[in-house]
Amino acid sequence: MSFKSTERYIVSEGLSQAVNAAVTLEKPLLLKGEPGTGKTRLAMELADSLDAPFLQWNIKSTTKAQQGLYEYDAVSRLRDSQLGSEKVHDISNYIKPGKLWQAFTSEQRPVLLIDEIDKADIEFPNDLLQELDQMAFHVYETGEQVEAKQRPIVIITSNNEKTLPDAFLRRCFFHYIQFPDEATLSDIVQVHYPNLQPRLLDEALAVFFGVRGISGLKKKPSTSELLDWIRLLLTEDITPEQLAEYRERPSMLPLAGALLKHEQDIELIERASRAY
């Protein structure tokens, strides 16, 4: 397999090599990087390029590893028992397969995305070690052993909110997605807006990187926020001349709410423009 940029998604050479290496080694690919750098989108585009089933497990602070395997609905079984339902005699009626189970039993090799693993409890990654290693698990309620028909391609994303355990890291192929340089970001924007006026693109990128370069920002704007901002620039008919004027004589950043997500950052930009 050789995964490279697609018509809708631009990848660096390093990221392309990381995807291919993880698939070759049959290890999960652990992706870190700033929010908005396309970690989740990568898994979707990989599945699409392979014409493979795509399964997404969104991790929350309350998510437990067991939910990825299966969940046993004891409450429904008790209720059915009280109602005299015949379903209660087959406990499998109350077993709900999780995303790992679905990936293991897929007829076609799927791409499984475990998204934002660092949101969960610190023990969450360790609780998945054996299942990801052996590609199998036991269903205690039924005595069933679920084994992977073929090893799924596993993509795991992290925003570095928590440090992941060393034992977990050893079982992954790791890649950090660097923030794109101006040339790469220009390519990404043109994928989404192929008819964008070149000068507007140049001025928008100059303003964008100028904002990212301001010291003290609580959250630097990301690729996804740049794309949203450019969409609004087009909708509001903001001209390249207006953006050039902003750069030469800083005032209020046009449509700042698309790029900046904290009031402290907007105030910082405003103070910088007044000081100018």
Side-chain angles (χ1 to χ4, degrees), residues 118-164:
D118 52 325
K119 281 188 175 181
D121 182 86
I122 190 62
E123 290 303 320
F124 179 89
N126 282 334
D127 291 342
L128 286 178
L129 286 179
Q130 182 173 341
E131 287 75 18
L132 289 176
D133 240 5
Q134 298 183 6
M135 288 288 152
F137 63 89
H138 187 71
V139 183
Y140 296 100
E141 290 79 4
T142 64
E144 180 183 0
Q145 182 75 5
V146 177
E147 297 183 4
K149 293 183 177 181
Q150 57 233 322
R151 184 175 286 268
I153 299 172
V154 181
I155 308 292
I156 302 172
T157 70
S158 168
N159 289 327
N160 261 346
E161 292 183 12
K162 293 189 184 80
T163 301
L164 299 174

Side-chain angles (χ1 to χ4, degrees), residues 213-252:
I214 294 175
S215 177
L217 286 180
K218 187 172 182 180
K219 182 191 180 304
K220 294 181 179 182
S222 68
T223 305
S224 62
E225 286 147 355
L226 170 64
L227 295 174
D228 287 344
W229 186 55
I230 289 178
R231 179 180 178 185
L232 291 175
L233 293 180
L234 294 171
T235 301
E236 298 297 323
D237 290 324
I238 302 295
T239 65
E241 291 74 21
Q242 288 174 285
L243 293 179
E245 184 178 353
Y246 168 79
R247 288 201 299 116
E248 292 167 6
R249 292 196 303 272
S251 55
M252 184 56 197

Side-chain angles (χ1 to χ4, degrees), residues 36-228:
T37 50
K39 299 185 295 296
T40 300
R41 181 71 180 272
L42 169 73
M44 297 176 179
E45 291 296 331
L46 177 59
D48 188 61
S49 70
L50 297 174
D51 196 23
F54 175 67
L55 297 168
Q56 183 169 357
W57 185 13
N58 295 309
I59 307 303
K60 302 177 182 178
S61 59
T62 55
T63 303
K64 302 300 180 185
Q66 177 64 32
Q67 293 172 292
L69 308 180
Y70 66 92
E71 293 183 86
Y72 169 50
D73 191 349
V75 174
S76 291
R77 191 181 187 206
L78 175 61
R79 183 182 62 246
D80 288 346
S81 175
Q82 292 170 338
L83 295 173
S85 172
E86 291 296 318
K87 288 175 59 180
V88 298
H89 301 300
D90 185 356
I91 197 170
S92 65
N93 289 323
Y94 306 94
I95 302 291
K96 180 183 177 181
K99 296 298 182 181
L100 281 174
W101 187 329
Q102 294 173 41
F104 287 0
T105 56
S106 175
E107 292 298 327
Q108 184 182 350
R109 188 184 193 188
V111 174
L112 170 64
L113 171 64
I114 303 177
D115 206 16
E116 299 189 336
I117 194 172
D118 52 325
K119 281 188 175 181
D121 182 86
I122 190 62
E123 290 303 320
F124 179 89
N126 282 334
D127 291 342
L128 286 178
L129 286 179
Q130 182 173 341
E131 287 75 18
L132 289 176
D133 240 5
Q134 298 183 6
M135 288 288 152
F137 63 89
H138 187 71
V139 183
Y140 296 100
E141 290 79 4
T142 64
E144 180 183 0
Q145 182 75 5
V146 177
E147 297 183 4
K149 293 183 177 181
Q150 57 233 322
R151 184 175 286 268
I153 299 172
V154 181
I155 308 292
I156 302 172
T157 70
S158 168
N159 289 327
N160 261 346
E161 292 183 12
K162 293 189 184 80
T163 301
L164 299 174
D166 287 344
F168 181 80
L169 295 175
R170 282 197 300 271
R171 289 165 169 82
C172 298
F173 188 95
F174 172 75
H175 182 78
Y176 184 87
I177 299 181
Q178 299 285 349
F179 194 82
D181 59 22
E182 189 165 344
T184 303
L185 204 51
S186 176
D187 291 340
I188 292 172
V189 171
Q190 290 179 78
V191 164
H192 292 268
Y193 302 101
N195 299 318
L196 186 64
Q197 182 183 347
R199 191 179 169 210
L200 180 61
L201 172 59
D202 291 343
E203 291 294 344
L205 289 176
V207 172
F208 175 78
F209 278 104
V211 171
R212 275 186 61 89
I214 294 175
S215 177
L217 286 180
K218 187 172 182 180
K219 182 191 180 304
K220 294 181 179 182
S222 68
T223 305
S224 62
E225 286 147 355
L226 170 64
L227 295 174
D228 287 344

